[in-house]
Amino acid sequence: MTESTAKNYPLLETIDSPIKLRALPPAKLPQLADELRDYVIQSVANTGGHLSAGLGTVELTLALHYVYNTPSDKLVWDVGHQTYPHKIITGRREQMHSIRQHHGLSGFPKREESEYDTFGVGHSSTSISAALGMSMAAANKGSKQKTVAIIGDGAMSGGMAFEALNHAGDTDADMLVILNDNEMSISPNVGGLSKHLAKILSGKTYSSMRSGSKRVLEKFSMWELARRAEEHVKGMVVPGTLFEELGFHYYGPVDGHDIPTLITMLRNLKNQTGPRFLHVVTHKGKGFAPAEENPCLYHGVGSFDPETGNKLDQSSSKPTYTQVFSDWVCDMAKQDERLVAITPAMREGSGLVAFSQRFPRRYHDVGIAEQHAVTLAAGMACEGLKPVVAIYSTFLQRAYDQLIHDVALQNLPVLFAIDRAGLVGADGPTHAGAFDLSYLRCIPNLLIMAPADENECRQMLFTGFIHDGPAAVRYPRGQGPGIEIQSDMQVLEHGRADIRRQGKKIAILAFGSMLAPALEAGEQLDATVVNMRFIKPLDTATLDKIAREHEQLITIEENAVNGGAGSAVNEYLQSQGILSRITNLGLPDRFVEHGSSAQLLAECGLDVQGILKAAELAG
């Protein structure tokens, strides 16, 4: 495995593909599950990554690859946090030491990485739509391939999942949807009766009887009565009435850690046709006591001691931008009872834990439903509340129409606290906030700010909250430069930049997180450095002055260079007939892969050396 984990895995080490897995006798699978679970723990302990979800899917992963002829049959995973076991048994065991590292394995399914990764994913609630598309394509080609979507219960809160279920149930698509349900409240349903019922419902006898009865009763008006009676009887025993109404045949719930039962169920369902729905109950974090006790804490972790679960990396005492937001939203809520906080299932990640505890009636977690979150905020704003939507940049992309149509068009006072703006390190391109300045600055009525440090973040949040219209504050993942945070809050003058260093010939216009490298480069170049602060409106007076007094301008931002803040500067200068030599630095026109933030910024030319090189080339 790695030098730091010299453990033996006698059975797992013989499995380098699902073909080898399928050659094992069923009696060997529990041992393989134990070895696979431990391998996941040891791997993540060494590299960091997503842990709890994958520990809960070990047996399910083995059963799926054991029954289905992957990769000819297609497994479509939702989100991807649950796919570390899948990666290990599909030929990537020896590469697990590189997961989420620069030029290493991705932390999510990735089509370029393996033929077993059928669909690239990082955002939730996409699996059923993708699987349905694959199933329909297979039918179009006359292929006999089987298609399975594996979706977690959290992802089922996303509206896209129900859109796909609604469509699939109206087709004859040969697909199976597996609900990986790890909510402990469901666990009492898992037992002998449920297991026996699930086997009966998935078996040939029941299916034949159901089909035969349908053919006979369709000739009579009694068929509709019988169909409804069947649904209601099943609905009293199993919680599948909703899925039956959507057009699926529902089976379960079954114990997702019981390999023999899973194999029996999957074999039975594989031989059926049409849309099927299997409800599997798993335990998140299973097999690792710290993760079982606190699965949320071990959802995504840094390196840790695999024996105790204690973290090994020592974090700095400086607050993160997320913590700055967390403190501000609680302070602001004490001052203004109109403040309500909304998050699409990202309470911990967005820094709303303290708020949810102190102001529970003003806290709203809407599930993985970004579109709904934004329009909910708009409705609240119409009635005099002051909503704050805490959301990752990459997830705000999913609510773009609502941002335009429901908030900006009506000029409603909604504050968007946009976390994870810019590169996000090991999570890679699916989670990078690479595009928000580009897609926000073209929207009328929207005030857009990017803080360069912790205190500026606090003041901008206050400025956006007080603003009588929509406002966005975008800030990066992790820590800032360590500037002292003032408890007092002041409204910043809209569109006012701050000249931080006066120099000659060259001027660097820095947006947000790029001020720190700009100041360091400015010292070496004897350049003027401007903290632009506002993307919309721009400080046009300062731009006029800087353009007249300097021979060369460099804009720098941690956002896509195409259409970003630098483009806004270009557009303004061109509109005024100012023909300055200008270089725009930002994220390149490609998806930046995973790695440490420092590695990725250097790769994109967004560090001190990148600025110096750009100045030399332009000079």
Side-chain angles (χ1 to χ4, degrees), residues 302-347:
S303 56
F304 62 91
D305 184 332
E307 300 301 322
T308 65
N310 295 334
K311 294 182 179 180
L312 300 181
D313 51 334
Q314 299 297 320
S315 57
S316 168
S317 59
K318 293 189 299 184
T320 62
Y321 281 100
T322 303
Q323 185 61 49
V324 172
F325 166 75
S326 178
D327 294 341
W328 171 81
V329 75
C330 289
D331 292 345
M332 195 71 242
K334 286 191 297 183
Q335 296 184 26
D336 194 329
E337 293 184 353
R338 297 175 300 165
L339 188 152
V340 290
I342 300 170
T343 177
M346 294 303 295
R347 184 183 73 155

Side-chain angles (χ1 to χ4, degrees), residues 29-340:
L29 295 183
Q31 177 189 339
L32 181 60
D34 290 341
E35 292 183 18
L36 179 56
R37 177 168 282 109
D38 189 70
Y39 199 95
V40 171
I41 294 169
Q42 298 295 330
S43 296
V44 180
N46 190 50
T47 64
H50 296 104
L51 182 63
S52 296
L55 293 180
T57 59
V58 167
E59 290 83 3
L60 178 60
T61 300
L62 292 176
L64 283 166
H65 282 288
Y66 195 76
V67 171
Y68 286 90
N69 185 31
T70 57
S72 296
D73 292 335
K74 308 300 180 185
L75 303 182
V76 184
W77 298 90
D78 212 285
V79 181
H81 301 142
Q82 55 189 333
T83 58
Y84 287 18
H86 160 82
K87 285 177 180 278
I88 292 168
I89 65 168
T90 54
R92 288 167 278 183
R93 184 181 72 253
E94 295 300 327
Q95 298 169 272
M96 284 298 290
H97 69 277
S98 73
I99 197 163
R100 291 162 49 90
Q101 310 299 307
H102 202 214
H103 301 308
L105 290 180
S106 170
F108 302 97
K110 189 175 183 181
R111 282 169 54 83
E112 304 96 299
E113 191 176 284
S114 170
E115 62 181 335
Y116 292 93
D117 291 359
T118 60
F119 195 73
V121 63
H123 294 183
S124 91
S125 313
T126 62
S127 61
I128 303 175
S129 296
L132 177 59
M134 292 177 188
S135 177
M136 295 174 79
N140 184 265
K141 295 185 296 183
S143 169
K144 299 298 183 181
Q145 78 175 42
K146 299 293 182 177
T147 309
V148 183
I150 307 99
I151 184 168
D153 52 355
M156 283 297 292
S157 66
M160 185 177 175
F162 282 92
E163 291 175 18
L165 287 171
N166 184 57
H167 181 202
D170 196 41
T171 72
D172 58 356
D174 183 7
M175 66 178 291
L176 171 65
V177 175
I178 296 179
L179 171 61
N180 174 24
D181 184 346
N182 52 42
E183 286 293 330
M184 293 302 293
S185 61
I186 306 293
S187 58
N189 291 326
V190 179
L193 176 61
S194 293
K195 185 185 300 184
H196 180 66
L197 175 63
K199 287 182 177 179
I200 291 174
L201 294 179
S202 66
K204 290 183 179 179
T205 302
Y206 173 81
S207 292
S208 299
M209 181 176 66
R210 190 179 195 281
S211 299
S213 299
K214 179 177 179 180
R215 286 193 296 270
V216 173
L217 292 173
E218 273 179 337
K219 299 179 181 179
F220 305 97
S221 60
M222 289 182 64
W223 164 245
E224 180 62 19
L225 177 62
R227 184 187 68 81
R228 291 183 177 275
E230 177 203 37
E231 289 177 354
H232 286 293
V233 169
K234 287 175 64 179
M236 289 187 290
V237 183
V238 293
T241 305
L242 169 64
F243 304 107
E244 291 277 355
E245 292 290 349
L246 287 170
F248 280 74
H249 296 318
Y250 172 92
Y251 307 95
V254 296
D255 184 348
H257 303 297
D258 183 340
I259 292 180
T261 296
L262 286 173
I263 290 175
T264 299
M265 288 291 300
L266 292 173
R267 281 176 172 164
N268 287 337
L269 294 174
K270 181 181 178 181
N271 295 323
Q272 296 184 25
T273 59
R276 289 94 74 201
F277 192 99
L278 175 61
H279 185 168
V280 172
V281 178
T282 62
H283 191 88
K284 200 168 185 179
K286 182 175 176 60
F288 187 54
E292 289 187 17
E293 294 168 8
N294 195 338
C296 187
L297 180 64
Y298 286 85
H299 168 73
V301 294
S303 56
F304 62 91
D305 184 332
E307 300 301 322
T308 65
N310 295 334
K311 294 182 179 180
L312 300 181
D313 51 334
Q314 299 297 320
S315 57
S316 168
S317 59
K318 293 189 299 184
T320 62
Y321 281 100
T322 303
Q323 185 61 49
V324 172
F325 166 75
S326 178
D327 294 341
W328 171 81
V329 75
C330 289
D331 292 345
M332 195 71 242
K334 286 191 297 183
Q335 296 184 26
D336 194 329
E337 293 184 353
R338 297 175 300 165
L339 188 152
V340 290

Side-chain angles (χ1 to χ4, degrees), residues 371 374-375 396-408:
Q371 293 172 297
V374 173
T375 303
L396 184 57
Q397 295 164 184
R398 309 185 88 185
Y400 193 52
D401 179 61
Q402 288 69 30
L403 177 59
I404 295 172
H405 181 270
D406 299 337
V407 176

Side-chain angles (χ1 to χ4, degrees), residues 325 340-344 373-374 377 387-391 396 414-418:
F325 166 75
V340 290
I342 300 170
T343 177
V374 173
V388 177
V389 179
I391 192 168
L396 184 57
V414 177
L415 172 62
F416 294 91
I418 305 173

